[in-house]
Amino acid sequence: MKYSDSVFDILTPVELLYSIEQSFEKYKAVKQRNIESLLYVVMGLTHLREWIAPGYECKGKCEKTPKNDEEEFSKKIYENHDGFTTIRMLCNRTKHLKKTNFSTSSSHDLSFDEWTDFDAVRDFNKGPATDYYVDNRNIIEVIEAVIDYYKKEWFIKQKLIT
């Protein structure tokens, strides 16, 4: 069996970022929010750091001294970016059902006539989710801040995107 450093046709961190951004734009473009798209974005942004610096592990703190720009960036986003911490904790909460020190919630304010995907409705009394929140902050704001940080502090600085 041959092993690869890619996942299907996503070969690089830039391509993973592009995939995450495309999913996020689709998520934002509709009134009825898709939890599956949101979870892909959350998990993708959490693990993008590991695509940039494979093998550089941080648990609680990054104990290893960074050896290159990739590891330095990985440490910086892991230890110093509140939005990334929120995204990472959401990812781990999703994967492991770990307790966290923040609350999550959703809003449901579409009329029945506005429902576009009946299969995605988890509770017919509430209707489909129209937004998701972490400690009353819209998750869209958190994700936008994390994507912006990745782009400005890594991809643009490394001249991987313009």
Side-chain angles (χ1 to χ4, degrees):
M1 181 182 294
K2 182 180 176 188
Y3 293 96
S4 172
D5 292 344
S6 64
V7 175
F8 302 113
D9 62 349
I10 300 174
L11 306 174
T12 66
V14 172
E15 292 172 354
L16 180 57
L17 175 64
Y18 179 78
S19 174
I20 293 165
E21 286 184 299
Q22 294 304 303
S23 290
F24 186 50
E25 290 305 315
K26 290 175 188 172
Y27 171 84
K28 292 189 308 182
V30 295
K31 291 180 185 178
Q32 184 174 333
R33 303 297 184 197
N34 179 305
I35 191 66
E36 294 81 11
S37 295
L38 178 59
L39 291 177
Y40 171 74
V41 170
V42 165
M43 292 182 179
L45 286 174
T46 300
H47 292 91
L48 180 56
R49 176 187 72 84
E50 295 170 28
W51 278 54
I52 292 169
Y56 185 72
E57 292 186 30
C58 299
K59 298 201 186 222
K61 285 276 186 190
C62 302
E63 295 180 12
K64 283 185 187 176
T65 302
K67 296 180 183 137
N68 53 42
D69 290 344
E70 291 85 352
E71 291 180 359
E72 187 66 45
F73 171 79
S74 181
K75 178 178 175 134
K76 188 174 165 186
I77 194 170
Y78 187 93
E79 292 183 345
N80 300 314
H81 194 277
D82 290 337
F84 180 81
T85 299
T86 299
I87 294 296
R88 182 177 53 80
M89 290 175 73
L90 272 173
C91 179
N92 286 329
R93 185 174 177 173
T94 302
K95 289 188 330 187
H96 308 291
L97 201 58
K98 283 185 171 183
K99 290 186 179 190
T100 55
N101 60 354
F102 57 81
S103 66
T104 59
S105 60
S106 55
S107 60
H108 305 263
D109 52 11
L110 288 181
S111 70
F112 184 78
D113 293 335
E114 295 176 287
W115 293 16
T116 58
D117 183 359
F118 286 88
D119 292 333
V121 178
R122 290 171 172 35
D123 182 336
F124 276 82
N125 291 322
K126 290 196 258 180
T130 52
D131 274 304
Y132 291 100
Y133 302 89
V134 176
D135 286 339
N136 298 316
R137 184 175 178 202
N138 194 313
I139 192 64
I140 289 173
E141 296 171 25
V142 177
I143 291 169
E144 287 174 338
V146 173
I147 289 173
D148 187 58
Y149 188 85
Y150 268 116
K151 289 170 94 169
K152 287 180 180 173
E153 297 300 321
W154 180 253
F155 292 98
I156 291 172
K157 281 187 177 180
Q158 297 297 314
K159 296 180 177 46
L160 299 170
I161 60 172
T162 56

